[in-house]
Amino acid sequence: MLWVIVGVVVLVVAAVGVLGFVTPGFFMTKVLDKNAVQNGVVKILGERYGDTATDVVCPADQEVKVGNTFDCTLKVDGDDRKVTITIKSEDKAEYEVSQPK
């Protein structure tokens, strides 16, 4: 009887491990790469708004979840500004950058 209980416990632990960390990954959170977002902000502001952004600072470990928003600080022509980042897609980690405020 003891071996049956040990076997069941091992199977439960294995199932939780697979479901939590592999597929579908309940315990894992997808986050944005801070440096990639900061570089993306510079690129997008230049292409979309014609602004030259410098000193972009975005918070680290922002969860990739549709609708999540956060602010990044930056300088445009020497003035302190902010942009809001809005997550648009979880699959491709796509985001939208607002016009500097």
Side-chain angles (χ1 to χ4, degrees), residues 6-93:
V6 169
V8 169
V9 169
V10 168
L11 287 175
V12 169
V13 169
V16 169
V18 168
L19 292 174
F21 294 106
V22 180
T23 302
F26 295 119
F27 301 139
M28 298 181 65
T29 302
K30 190 174 186 181
V31 295
L32 292 171
D33 178 336
K34 177 183 173 179
N35 291 327
V37 172
Q38 291 172 169
N39 292 335
V41 167
V42 170
K43 182 180 178 186
I44 290 168
L45 291 180
E47 290 175 355
R48 189 169 294 160
Y49 303 114
D51 291 331
T52 302
T54 60
D55 302 329
V56 178
V57 178
C58 298
D61 300 327
Q62 294 300 307
E63 184 177 1
V64 178
K65 187 172 182 182
V66 173
N68 278 3
T69 62
F70 59 93
D71 290 332
C72 297
T73 59
L74 53 107
K75 289 189 183 291
V76 175
D77 297 327
D79 294 329
D80 291 331
R81 301 285 179 98
K82 286 186 179 182
V83 292
T84 300
I85 308 297
T86 305
I87 306 299
K88 294 296 183 179
S89 164
E90 292 179 24
D91 295 342
K92 297 180 182 178

